[in-house]
Amino acid sequence: MKNQDGAVTDREADVSIKSLKAGNVVPAREFFDSYDIGKAGIAPTGGGSNPSQVIPIELKLLRAVVDHPMRRSSEYSKLAGISPNTLLKIRPGLVERGFIHENKQEAHNRGRAAILLEPLESAKQLVENLEE
Amino acid sequence: MRGKPFHNLMARDVQEIARRFFDFTRREYRFSKNRAVTYLDVFAQRGPIALAFEIETTSRHAVGNARKAALVGVPIWIIVPLRRLKLDITRKLAPLGLRPGGEPIKILLLGQMEQELTNYLSLNIAANTQNGKE
C-alpha cells in the first residue's frame, strides 16, 4: 500500500531488505588496501586460502611466521613491522583460514599461556609463490 | 624427528635443560631392555642415573608411553605445554599405579623441569645418599 506522499511502501521496503540479507557481501580488495585495519577495527572475512584474499598486512605477518616459525606471537609485531593491535586483529582470521596454527604453552603454574605461531603448508606455499 | 613442529620444539627445549644436568642426552633415543624396545623423546644419563622424558601435546599417547617406559624399566617424566593437559594426564595415569624404574611418573610443565631436576639429582647423587656417606 502506497503512502500519501507516493514514497516506498512498507512491503517494498521489506522486499529490498530481504535481498540485502540474502546477498553474499564480498569485501573489495581496494578497501582493505586503502584502510589501516588496526585503526578501522575491521577484519577480512574467511573463505579458503586464496592468495587474492590475503591483504598486504596479512602477508607481512605470514612472511614473518614462515621465516621465523614457532616464536611467541608478541615477537611477530617487530618481525613483521606491524603494530601489536593490528597483529591481534588479523591473527584470528589467518588461523580461521588455515594459514597458521596457534600452539599454547604455559611455562609455569601461574600466568597466561604464550602463543607460538606455526606456519601451515598453505602459508608456506603462498609465501613461496609470491617470492617467485 | 617424527613429531609435529610444536612437539619437536618442546623436545629441543627439554634436551637443552637436561644437558645442564646430565652428561649424556639424546633425542629420539632407541632404548631396549627386558627384551622390549622403545623410542624415547629425550633420554638423559649421568652415571647410574637415567631419565626418560616424553613430550605430550595431547593426552592420547600418555598412557601408552608410560606403559612402554615401565616395560623397559626407566623412570619417565612427562613434559606438557598446558596445565589442563597436566591434569588430564594425571587423572589418566593415577588409576594405573605405574612406577617405571621404581619411581613415580612426574608430569611437569616445561618451566618446572629445571627446579624438579635440581631437587631430583640432589637427592640421588652419591654424596647425599646413605651409601655415599658411609
Side-chain angles (χ1 to χ4, degrees):
Chain A
M1 191 179 158
K2 289 238 176 197
N3 64 19
Q4 288 175 346
D5 304 324
V8 179
T9 64
D10 290 346
R11 185 175 287 179
E12 283 170 338
D14 287 346
V15 170
S16 67
I17 287 173
K18 266 184 199 170
S19 63
L20 263 181
K21 281 181 180 170
N24 288 326
V25 179
V26 180
R29 190 181 162 82
E30 294 76 16
F31 175 78
F32 291 113
D33 284 346
S34 57
Y35 281 82
D36 182 342
I37 288 179
K39 284 174 188 163
I42 50 169
T45 54
S49 50
N50 187 349
S52 66
Q53 288 173 342
V54 176
I55 57 173
I57 207 147
E58 288 179 324
L59 199 60
K60 270 187 175 181
L61 178 59
L62 282 182
R63 200 167 271 154
V65 176
V66 170
D67 292 344
H68 309 276
M70 304 303 286
R71 300 269 191 106
R72 286 163 181 258
S73 69
S74 57
E75 291 180 37
Y76 286 107
S77 66
K78 263 193 177 176
L79 289 168
I82 54 180
S83 83
N85 274 340
T86 307
L87 189 135
L88 202 68
K89 278 168 184 146
I90 62 176
R91 202 182 65 206
L94 293 173
V95 173
E96 197 182 309
R97 280 179 284 157
F99 284 116
I100 54 175
H101 178 68
E102 292 179 338
N103 296 293
K104 288 189 178 175
Q105 188 178 34
E106 289 163 338
H108 298 277
N109 261 336
R110 282 192 277 179
R112 265 200 313 194
I115 295 173
L116 310 178
L117 299 184
E118 174 189 341
L120 298 181
E121 209 48 50
S122 54
K124 288 177 190 169
Q125 278 177 3
L126 177 65
V127 171
E128 202 174 283
N129 290 343
L130 289 168
E131 279 173 357
E132 280 172 3
Chain B
M1 280 187 73
R2 296 176 300 164
K4 288 184 173 179
F6 185 45
H7 177 275
N8 295 347
L9 179 85
M10 283 191 68
R12 198 190 66 195
D13 291 346
V14 166
Q15 190 187 16
E16 280 301 310
I17 297 170
R19 208 173 263 161
R20 290 179 224 153
F21 295 87
F22 294 90
D23 304 324
F24 174 85
T25 60
R26 284 285 184 280
R27 269 191 280 168
E28 280 297 318
Y29 188 72
R30 187 178 185 274
F31 191 88
S32 61
K33 199 176 169 185
N34 305 335
R35 295 171 67 187
V37 180
T38 185
Y39 283 86
L40 304 164
D41 284 340
V42 178
F43 176 76
Q45 194 165 18
R46 174 172 160 175
I49 303 166
L51 258 184
F53 299 92
E54 278 293 333
I55 289 90
E56 301 293 351
T57 53
T58 66
S59 61
R60 211 179 311 148
H61 304 296
V63 172
N65 285 335
R67 283 191 201 279
K68 276 195 296 180
L71 207 62
V72 293
V74 60
I76 185 175
W77 289 14
I78 296 173
I79 312 297
V80 294
L82 297 168
R83 291 187 283 266
R84 180 62 206 247
L85 184 60
K86 183 177 166 179
L87 199 66
D88 281 352
I89 294 176
T90 307
R91 281 182 185 150
K92 276 191 175 183
L93 292 179
L96 303 177
L98 293 171
R99 290 177 68 88
E103 292 182 22
I105 299 170
K106 284 192 186 214
I107 303 153
L108 303 166
L109 295 168
L110 194 62
Q112 299 174 316
M113 192 182 141
E114 193 166 350
Q115 184 62 56
E116 286 293 328
L117 272 177
T118 307
N119 296 342
Y120 178 78
L121 290 174
S122 68
L123 291 171
N124 280 283
I125 56 173
N128 291 344
T129 58
Q130 201 63 39
N131 292 337
K133 284 175 185 169
E134 285 170 3

